[in-house]
Amino acid sequence: MDRFRFSIGAAVAASCLGCFAMIATAQEPAGVIEYRQAVMSAQAGHMGALARIVRGEADFPEDVPAHARALHDLADMILPAFPEGSLEGAETDALPAIWEDWEGFSASVEEFRTATAALVAAADGGDAAAVGAAFGEVGNGCRSCHDDFRAE
Ligand code: HEC
């Protein structure tokens, strides 16, 4: 009897995994747009925090590696957050150029990833001047992609 209960439990658990997979794949167009905007806002949050540290306005050098790593992790989320056709369903500043020039957009993401990797390396090295320079490069990466692929 206990065994029977257990196998029912296992069956329910297994079918719920199926449910979850269904929920995970049936995403909404508006949700995708809002998701990537939230990812972008998270990046802006880490950049804003780092800017205070780099400019010497706030003294939290021990936090620099965590912000750098967060930016590097977030960089990996950019490309998948722009699936083809995700230009409708919510207000978006994404330009059609993203999909018309997917190679260029991918290259921009890759450049940005490289810049965030350099920031992680500089942060781990602990040299303030190197962190400042790498931070500037990451900022250039944001700007350069926005210039080409985001509406004013
Ligand atoms: C490879 C391209 C690319 C890179 C790199 C990039 N962005 Fe963006 N960003 C975009 C696009 C495209 C949008 C418009 C998204 C939309 O509205 O659907 C956007 C939107 C935003 C927004 C507005 C979000 C909202 O709520 O509407 C902010 C803030 C932002 N980015 C900050 C940053 C920061 C800070 C960085 C660098 C640390 C960065 N982005 C790097 C392409 C990029």
Side-chain angles (χ1 to χ4, degrees), residues 52-144:
R52 270 44 175 211
I53 299 171
V54 166
R55 293 189 211 126
E57 298 165 4
D59 192 25
F60 298 97
E62 69 277 15
D63 293 350
V64 168
H67 289 301
R69 244 178 285 285
L71 282 162
H72 191 49
D73 286 345
L74 289 162
D76 286 336
M77 300 179 197
I78 298 178
L79 209 56
F82 289 89
E84 184 116 31
S86 62
L87 209 52
E88 274 158 35
E91 259 191 59
T92 173
D93 290 328
L95 291 177
I98 291 170
W99 298 278
E100 289 160 11
D101 179 20
W102 185 253
E103 246 176 64
F105 184 67
S106 308
S108 189
V109 171
E110 198 44 44
E111 264 172 46
F112 179 69
R113 281 193 70 251
T114 305
T116 58
L119 179 61
V120 169
D124 287 343
D127 178 67
V131 167
F135 170 78
E137 283 305 311
V138 171
N140 288 339
C142 313
R143 251 185 311 279
S144 135

Side-chain angles (χ1 to χ4, degrees), residues 23-24 33 77 119 149:
I23 291 164
I33 291 171
M77 300 179 197
L119 179 61
F149 298 106

Side-chain angles (χ1 to χ4, degrees), residues 12-30:
V12 169
S15 68
C16 277
L17 283 177
C19 295
F20 183 71
M22 264 170 59
I23 291 164
T25 50
Q27 51 184 2
E28 295 186 22

